[in-house]
Amino acid sequence: MKLLEGKTALVTGASRGIGEAIAKKLAESGANIAFTYLSSAEKAMALENALHATGVKAIGYKSDASSFAEAEKLVGNVLMEFQTIDIVVNNAGITRDNLILRMSEQQWDEIMTTNLKSVFNISKNVVKPMMKQRSGSIINLSSIVGITGNAGQTNYAASKAGVIGFTKSLAKELGSRNIRCNAIAPGFIETDMTHGISEEMKEQFKKNIPLGRYGSAEEVAKVVLFLASDLSSYVNGQVISVCGGLNT
Ligand code: NAP
């Protein structure tokens, strides 16, 4: 029997990057997958087909993670279609980098609603069904900059630090119900999010990473698999850095 057979995972923002790798990794281990995207409809369709090919049930939903109303509707639809939600991966996220002198209120607000409020939106709506089934694993994507800070990313770093505070608080609230909540703090991972960084800057960053390279989305997905499964049955309220040793 596969590690996650009979389980359903809801992964937000899975049309590209880390979310896509997470959806594939959890499906490989037998989980049925409900996932969301915002605008990449074709990529979402391709992912749905790739997941079906692994033999699991999979549905992609267009749903804006920053909207509470859409999260409520999404969770209702997923429960109707899949009956349970055992694993939630709050992965959807964006950057709107700028120095504070140039940062607009809109850049601040977009980051807060997409990266932080989104985690509340989905968690709030899955907690009741998870309490009823007396089990669940919620995994939130933070970032090492939520721990260390980063010039040019006050908005992003604050949102990701917020994700850590939320994760630890929820873990304390729901541990007695056998619902675990943990966060992952990736370092530099090769995705569209880091694509815009110049080669020169990348070489500079690599010098500070003990493993001497960027990570892959799959390397983050492997840690999600650990946290999603019973392999981590006594891990709760933790932040696991996946950063090649950068945050050490
Ligand atoms: P990415 O390649 O830019 O992909 C972002 C994904 O999120 C896409 O599937 C996108 O959907 C979705 N998304 C964005 N806004 C959304 C919204 N409002 N509602 C629903 N879905 C939305 O990013 P990534 O690098 O994979 O990052 C994934 C997560 O890891 C993020 O939370 C990010 O902050 C975190 N992280 C990444 C790194 C890194 O180095 N890459 C490091 C630390 C933390 P569409 O395709 O439809 O736009």
Side-chain angles (χ1 to χ4, degrees), residues 12-22 35-41 43-44 61-67 70 90-96 110 113-115 118 140-145 156 159-160 184-195 197 214-215 217 220 242:
T12 66
S15 43
R16 298 181 278 123
I18 294 172
E20 180 185 2
I22 291 168
F35 72 90
T36 70
Y37 62 96
L38 184 61
S39 53
S40 306
K43 287 184 176 160
Y61 297 85
K62 180 172 161 51
S63 180
D64 184 348
S66 66
S67 157
E70 289 195 27
N90 284 308
N91 166 77
I94 55 170
T95 50
R96 294 285 183 270
E110 281 177 10
T113 53
T114 303
N115 292 3
S118 60
N140 299 324
L141 268 290
S142 177
S143 164
I144 50 154
V145 309
Y156 184 79
S159 73
K160 294 300 186 180
I184 293 179
F188 289 103
I189 308 298
E190 293 277 9
T191 67
D192 291 348
M193 192 175 269
T194 48
H195 193 69
I197 301 171
Y214 273 35
V220 179
V242 183

Side-chain angles (χ1 to χ4, degrees), residues 41-75:
E42 269 181 34
K43 287 184 176 160
M45 184 63 80
L47 175 64
E48 217 182 79
N49 291 334
L51 296 175
H52 287 156
T54 67
V56 302
K57 179 169 172 168
I59 303 178
Y61 297 85
K62 180 172 161 51
S63 180
D64 184 348
S66 66
S67 157
F68 185 81
E70 289 195 27
E72 197 172 20
K73 194 167 140 209
L74 169 74
V75 169

Side-chain angles (χ1 to χ4, degrees), residues 69-89:
E70 289 195 27
E72 197 172 20
K73 194 167 140 209
L74 169 74
V75 169
N77 287 338
V78 173
L79 282 172
M80 209 147 56
E81 201 56 55
F82 292 81
Q83 281 75 53
T84 63
I85 299 175
D86 306 285
I87 299 152
V88 166
V89 188

Side-chain angles (χ1 to χ4, degrees), residues 141-194:
L141 268 290
S142 177
S143 164
I144 50 154
V145 309
I147 300 168
T148 63
N150 194 24
Q153 290 197 307
T154 49
N155 52 357
Y156 184 79
S159 73
K160 294 300 186 180
V163 167
I164 291 174
F166 181 92
T167 300
K168 293 185 174 190
S169 304
L170 200 64
K172 289 185 174 181
E173 266 185 52
L174 299 181
S176 63
R177 310 296 184 115
N178 194 33
I179 298 166
R180 298 182 295 111
C181 185
N182 292 288
I184 293 179
F188 289 103
I189 308 298
E190 293 277 9
T191 67
D192 291 348
M193 192 175 269
T194 48

